[in-house]
Amino acid sequence: TNPAAPDRVPGGSSSGSVMATAGGLVDFAIGTDTGGSIRLPAAFCGVFGFRPTHGRVSLDGAVPLAPSFDTCGWFARDMATMIRVAEALGLQSRQAATELKTPKRLATPSDMWALAAPSVRDVLTPMRARAMTVLGEVSAGEVGMGEAGFNGEADDAPLNPDGFDVWRDVFRICQGAEIWEVHGAWVSSHTPRFGPGVRERFEAASQITSAEAKAAREKRGSITGTLDTILSEGVVLAFPTSPGPAPLRSDTDASVDAFRADALSLLCCAGLAGLPQITIPAGTLDGAPVGFSLMGARGTDRELLDLAALMTGVTGQP
């Protein structure tokens, strides 16, 4: 059950972890994020959720799904706990860092915001303004993140020159090909009985050709280069975590599939390029939570967490 909206789905394969956290059973919980299974459930259940830079947190002992996408992230109800978990998992404090990529500019790409419903954009407007205010304070040296040179305005230039349907398809093919490489032999020999949705995705993965996978991986390299260029010089992307609140449990399969496709358009960016992303609870719509995301360059995990902490009123070390 989604503790924040019992009539709606909790979302994602890490839904057990997020339900325990959002329901107050635990202070925090770890989970995996390959395609969005930290970020989306966190947004759906009204808690903080973090996907680290790919490879930043060890996956030793975890069963792989798609190794070049798999990450270990975590959920918590407050940013002080999020930062304590980060330090327990080895993400250095700012004082210990030697080459910090301090945020310098906020980007709010118009094409990413257009993927969310207008009502969602309205709910997220105060958090967007808060992000700009905090970076302005950072630039002025009023809070302890160093000089940032922020000009007080957000850049809303489009992010994606190809269209998100293209990036989403690249994600689907690259992820599916890896899943079949890892699990295909076992699935073929044991013919397990999968549930709906999972069954169809394994079948689709089994049909990806080597030529399709090769082309998608080449395109993935180009996408990664695009994002690396945009996020250089301390740029932070701010955008809706999902196109809307969690689907209702009563929604049709077709409706949920359409929502999932739209959500993957927003979620695939961090996965394709191996970038860190945090989702922040940012209000409710129709009685259900919606999330606001920050995404930065690879390796800026702690900087994103610190920025989110400042946006939510947490200062100093917890």
Side-chain angles (χ1 to χ4, degrees), residues 35-190:
S37 293
I38 290 284
R39 294 162 288 163
L40 204 58
F44 285 176
C45 295
V47 298
F48 295 88
F50 185 63
R51 174 199 167 96
T53 297
H54 184 262
R56 184 65 185 83
V57 177
S58 174
L59 281 171
D60 288 350
V63 176
L65 181 63
S68 75
F69 294 94
D70 296 344
T71 62
C72 173
W74 60 97
F75 304 98
R77 295 184 300 278
D78 62 85
M79 274 307 304
T81 303
M82 290 292 288
I83 290 175
R84 291 181 67 187
V85 175
E87 296 189 347
L89 290 173
L91 275 69
Q92 78 280 1
S93 66
R94 293 190 57 81
Q95 289 82 352
T98 57
E99 294 183 1
L100 296 174
K101 303 177 182 66
T102 304
K104 292 181 175 63
R105 182 162 60 87
L106 190 72
T108 55
S110 57
D111 51 354
M112 298 188 83
W113 283 81
L115 292 169
S119 54
V120 173
R121 299 198 294 267
D122 289 343
V123 171
L124 298 183
T125 295
M127 189 63 75
R128 176 173 168 164
R130 176 62 180 157
M132 288 189 285
T133 297
V134 167
L135 277 183
E137 293 170 349
V138 169
S139 179
E142 295 175 9
V143 292
M145 289 181 69
E147 178 64 32
F150 180 60
N151 63 9
E153 297 180 358
D155 180 359
D156 64 355
L159 173 77
N160 186 340
D162 303 309
F164 283 102
D165 55 337
V166 173
W167 285 19
R168 187 178 67 227
D169 204 43
V170 169
F171 174 87
R172 177 187 63 81
I173 294 171
C174 288
Q175 184 199 44
E178 286 190 27
I179 289 170
W180 196 250
E181 288 170 1
V182 173
H183 297 290
W186 184 87
V187 171
S188 297
S189 62
H190 290 80

